[in-house]
């Protein structure tokens, strides 16, 4: 079935459906009904609406969740528009096929069309629940947006610490979502997050209850490390805003940080409105172009794993701070039963995650989710067979990679993977290490990929610790120490203490 649908306009009078969006002085109204043909029920969607010159059509404050080039529809209703030709793109989250088409606004037209959105996978039925760790969106629109984007966990930023004081987000962010929409039950939505933006890096903090007040008091001159420790003391979940925050090696050395945002608000040039101040810059000769930032962040993350550290990746879009749709960068967390915040965080702590900005990747090894540690025993080689479910709504997945200890162990064309009924080549270990699966697409404008949190393999000698990777972070600390005082929050004493941690880890290195 073609995904190009033509919709004609007809003028509505009394008894029309809910008004979804309204342009100033419209010439006509478009009745649109969007359904899931499998259930024959209305399906809410995200819509991008443009004229034939490619310019975004904005419908003002009446359009739900309007941001940049998109807004949200409840599934049936009316769009008030001026006369002319229009192009549309409809999305109902990454598990439905995108629909594109056009329509014409003419007076007294008497035609209408139902748009069918076709689901091609259902991750919730498999036990995978999606979340966006970084957003700043209006609370009243969150239930609709989360439903459209198939998100269960959306903690909006309620408070931001700028190095001097806490600032509360606008009231429309702080509204209790369950008061806005009782149908939001079964999801964790609303003002549960805070950002600490200091010279030297940014931390994301998450509470189990709405942050109606600032998370805790911060005294003048506190370093980000001290704030991190205070957050842990306050029973908050702490996430590094990216793997390239300047003070990351200091935070890791506290042994209180084990979660890092891998796909972040600063990855892509077209949407880049967030600040990357406080991050270690990439070498553009090694990580060039629009894909370079995401590749650099991933390379640093692999160095963390090669140091024998079990670090869980998560992802956040920054939607609201930039114009990316909610869930553009997302985290899937596996847990066997129905969604609950407690099960969600337990899955994160166990490393049962996949991060993605496109492909829907769900691996399992021996029936176990990512984050599992396998015991290698006293020697000999063990092969681990990766089973994989994969789907992609957007650009075609070009290849699959099995990553072993930060290097490509096997690269498999998608057609070969399909021929082998979803099995990848077994990955072999005779000593400690880690492995993961990465799926990349043919998209050229950004690095579009999915990556699971690693599976770990440990022998009786303990985790694999790479000398090269530990030395990478020791050199990082040297550069951090050389930064001007106003470009970092870490004190010389904190850097020196962190250096002791990494020197000790270097003494335990058992791999190149």
């Amino acid at each position: 079935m073609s995904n190009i649908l033509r919709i004609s306009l007809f003028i509505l009078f009394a008894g029309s459906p809910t008004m979804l969006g309204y342009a100033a002085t419209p010439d006509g109204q478009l009745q649109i009904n969007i359904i899931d043909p499998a259930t024959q029920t209305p399906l809410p969607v995200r819509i991008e609406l443009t004229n034939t010159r490619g310019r975004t059509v904005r419908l003002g404050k009446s359009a739900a969740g309007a941001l940049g080039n998109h807004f949200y529809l409840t599934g049936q209703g009316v769009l008030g528009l001026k006369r002319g030709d229009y192009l549309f793109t409809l999305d109902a989250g990454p598990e439905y096929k995108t629909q594109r088409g056009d329509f014409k606004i003419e007076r007294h037209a008497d035609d209408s069309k139902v748009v069918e959105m076709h689901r091609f996978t259902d991750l919730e039925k498999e036990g995978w629940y999606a979340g966006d760790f970084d957003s700043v969106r209006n609370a009243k629109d969150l239930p609709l947006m989360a439903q459209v984007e198939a998100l269960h966990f959306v903690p909006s930023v309620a408070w931001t610490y700028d190095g001097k004081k806490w600032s509360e987000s606008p009231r429309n962010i702080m509204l209790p979502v369950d008061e806005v929409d009782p149908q939001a039950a079964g999801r964790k939505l609303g003002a549960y997050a805070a950002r600490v933006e200091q010279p030297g890096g940014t931390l994301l903090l998450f509470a189990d209850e709405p942050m109606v007040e600032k998370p805790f008091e911060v005294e003048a001159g506190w370093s980000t490390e001290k704030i991190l420790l205070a957050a842990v003391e306050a029973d908050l979940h702490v996430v590094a805003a990216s793997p390239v925050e300047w003070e990351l090696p200091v935070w890791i050395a506290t042994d209180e940080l084990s979660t890092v945002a891998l796909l972040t608000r600063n990855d892509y040039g077209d949407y880049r409105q967030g600040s990357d101040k406080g991050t270690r810059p990439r070498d553009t000769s090694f990580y060039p172009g629009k894909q370079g930032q995401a590749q650099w962040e991933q390379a640093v993350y692999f160095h963390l794993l090669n140091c024998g550290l079990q670090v869980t990746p998560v992802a956040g879009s920054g939607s609201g701070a930039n114009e990316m749709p909610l869930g553009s960068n997302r985290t899937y967390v596996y847990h066997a039963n129905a969604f609950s915040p407690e099960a969600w965080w337990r899955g994160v702590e166990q490393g049962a995650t996949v991060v993605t900005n496109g492909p829907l990747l769900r691996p399992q090894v021996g029936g176990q989710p990512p984050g599992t540690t396998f015991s290698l025993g006293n020697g000999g080689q063990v092969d681990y067979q990766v089973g994989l479910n994969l789907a992609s709504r957007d650009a075609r997945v070009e290849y699959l990679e099995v990553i072993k200890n930060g290097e490509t162990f096997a690269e498999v064309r998608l057609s070969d993977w399909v021929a082998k009924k979803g099995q990848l080549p077994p990955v072999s270990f005779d000593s400690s290490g880690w492995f993961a699966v990465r799926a990349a697409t043919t998209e050229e404008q950004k690095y579009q990929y999915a990556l699971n949190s690693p599976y770990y393999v440990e022998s009786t000698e303990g985790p694999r610790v790479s000398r090269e990777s530990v030395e990478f972070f020791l050199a990082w600390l040297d550069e951090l120490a050389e930064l001007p005082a106003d470009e970092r929050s870490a004190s010389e004493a904190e850097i020196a203490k962190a250096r002791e941690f990494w020197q000790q880890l270097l003494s335990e290195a058992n791999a190149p």
Side-chain angles (χ1 to χ4, degrees):
M1 175 180 177
S2 171
N3 67 348
I4 303 297
L5 297 174
R6 293 185 175 272
I7 300 178
S8 298
L9 173 80
F10 69 104
I11 302 302
L12 297 172
F13 298 96
S16 63
T18 303
M19 187 65 66
L20 299 174
Y22 213 79
T25 61
D27 295 315
Q29 299 175 156
L30 168 67
Q31 179 175 344
I32 185 168
N33 296 283
I34 305 154
I35 65 167
D36 181 334
T39 62
Q40 290 296 309
T41 56
L43 185 71
V45 295
R46 168 166 42 90
I47 181 169
E48 297 177 15
L49 189 62
T50 62
N51 59 28
T52 52
R53 291 176 291 177
R55 293 181 179 177
T56 297
V57 176
R58 304 181 190 276
L59 298 179
K61 295 181 180 179
S62 60
L67 179 67
N69 65 352
H70 64 274
F71 57 95
Y72 291 83
L73 305 179
T74 59
Q76 56 185 1
V78 177
L79 294 172
L81 297 164
K82 291 182 175 293
R83 295 174 64 183
D85 296 317
Y86 295 88
L87 305 173
F88 68 84
T89 300
L90 299 180
D91 282 302
E95 300 175 16
Y96 283 83
K97 294 179 180 179
T98 298
Q99 297 282 22
R100 295 180 176 87
D102 59 81
F103 59 87
K104 188 178 186 66
I105 296 290
E106 291 179 347
R107 292 181 180 177
H108 310 302
D110 59 1
D111 191 17
S112 67
K113 203 80 163 180
V114 172
V115 182
E116 294 185 349
M117 303 292 290
H118 295 269
R119 180 190 283 272
F120 59 87
T121 190
D122 190 338
L123 271 66
E124 183 177 345
K125 286 186 177 180
E126 300 178 29
W128 291 95
Y129 298 89
D132 186 334
F133 273 80
D134 185 11
S135 67
V136 192
R137 300 305 302 268
N138 192 329
K140 73 179 180 63
D141 295 325
L142 271 181
L144 174 60
M145 291 189 292
Q147 183 182 1
V148 170
E149 307 293 358
L151 296 166
H152 282 78
F153 178 74
V154 185
S156 291
V157 174
W159 295 86
T160 301
Y161 185 75
D162 64 0
K164 296 180 180 179
K165 66 181 186 305
W166 288 107
S167 298
E168 186 178 15
S169 292
R171 179 60 184 164
N172 64 357
I173 305 295
M174 299 294 290
L175 288 171
V177 171
D178 57 355
E179 292 182 12
V180 174
D181 187 346
Q183 301 305 314
R187 304 176 191 267
K188 186 83 165 180
L189 312 175
Y192 292 92
R195 285 179 66 91
V196 176
E197 300 177 345
Q198 294 243 91
T202 297
L203 292 172
L204 307 176
L205 313 179
F206 302 92
D208 294 325
E209 301 296 329
M211 284 191 181
V212 294
E213 297 182 354
K214 56 188 174 184
F216 47 82
E217 294 292 339
V218 177
E219 296 181 12
W222 273 18
S223 67
T224 315
E225 176 188 333
K226 195 162 187 178
I227 294 175
L228 185 159
L229 296 175
V232 172
E233 183 69 21
D235 291 325
L236 300 178
H237 308 278
V238 183
V239 176
S242 82
V244 296
E245 305 302 307
W246 257 119
E247 295 179 12
L248 180 76
V250 176
W251 306 338
I252 291 291
T254 67
D255 204 28
E256 297 288 356
L257 181 74
S258 59
T259 309
V260 173
L262 187 53
L263 282 162
T264 73
R265 64 165 65 181
N266 290 327
D267 286 341
Y268 307 118
D270 289 346
Y271 290 112
R272 191 175 185 129
Q273 297 181 20
S275 171
D276 60 357
K277 184 179 180 180
T279 63
R280 189 184 185 199
R282 72 185 191 266
D283 184 335
T284 56
S285 62
F286 286 100
Y287 305 99
K290 294 181 178 181
Q291 299 189 5
Q293 183 65 26
Q295 291 172 335
W296 163 234
E297 292 173 3
Q298 195 173 122
V300 173
Y301 176 63
F302 289 171
H303 275 300
L304 286 172
L305 300 177
N306 282 340
C307 289
L309 304 169
Q310 294 194 5
V311 181
T312 298
V314 296
S317 66
S319 182
N322 56 35
E323 295 185 353
M324 292 175 73
L326 191 69
S328 297
N329 298 335
R330 62 177 55 210
T331 310
Y332 282 95
V333 177
Y334 178 82
H335 54 84
N337 299 314
F339 173 83
S340 72
E342 297 77 16
W344 167 275
W345 279 113
R346 189 162 55 250
V348 172
E349 291 165 0
Q350 294 170 349
T353 68
V354 171
V355 297
T356 183
N357 60 0
L360 301 178
L361 180 75
R362 293 95 72 203
Q364 58 84 22
V365 177
Q368 299 301 310
T372 299
T373 299
F374 297 106
S375 176
L376 193 58
N378 294 319
Q381 178 174 295
V382 176
D383 294 340
Y384 297 94
Q385 180 69 61
V386 181
L388 189 68
N389 288 332
L390 176 70
S392 181
R393 176 190 63 182
D394 301 313
R396 180 178 173 83
V397 173
E398 184 175 17
Y399 58 88
L400 299 166
E401 291 176 279
V402 178
I403 309 297
K404 175 182 177 181
N405 300 334
E407 302 291 338
T408 299
F409 172 80
E411 183 173 300
V412 180
R413 304 294 297 185
L414 188 67
S415 57
D416 294 334
W417 171 76
V418 171
K420 293 185 178 181
K421 300 181 179 179
Q423 295 294 319
L424 292 171
V427 54
S428 303
F429 284 85
D430 57 12
S431 60
S432 298
W434 61 270
F435 64 100
V437 178
R438 178 170 60 198
T441 75
T442 55
E443 172 64 47
E444 295 181 354
Q445 296 304 309
K446 63 181 180 180
Y447 186 20
Q448 192 175 51
Y449 74 96
L451 178 75
N452 66 275
S453 186
Y455 290 90
Y456 302 96
V457 177
E458 286 194 11
S459 71
T460 55
E461 296 179 356
R464 177 183 184 273
V465 180
S466 163
R467 176 177 296 274
E468 178 185 0
S469 290
V470 177
E471 290 176 342
F472 172 84
F473 288 108
L474 282 167
W476 186 320
L477 282 175
D478 291 340
E479 293 182 43
L480 175 63
E482 294 298 321
L483 287 180
D486 62 351
E487 294 183 17
R488 59 177 168 88
S489 75
S491 67
E492 292 182 4
E494 288 172 334
I495 294 173
K497 185 178 179 181
R499 187 176 284 109
E500 291 177 4
F501 167 88
W502 292 99
Q503 288 284 8
Q504 176 60 37
L505 200 58
L506 184 62
S507 70
E508 300 169 5
N510 54 16

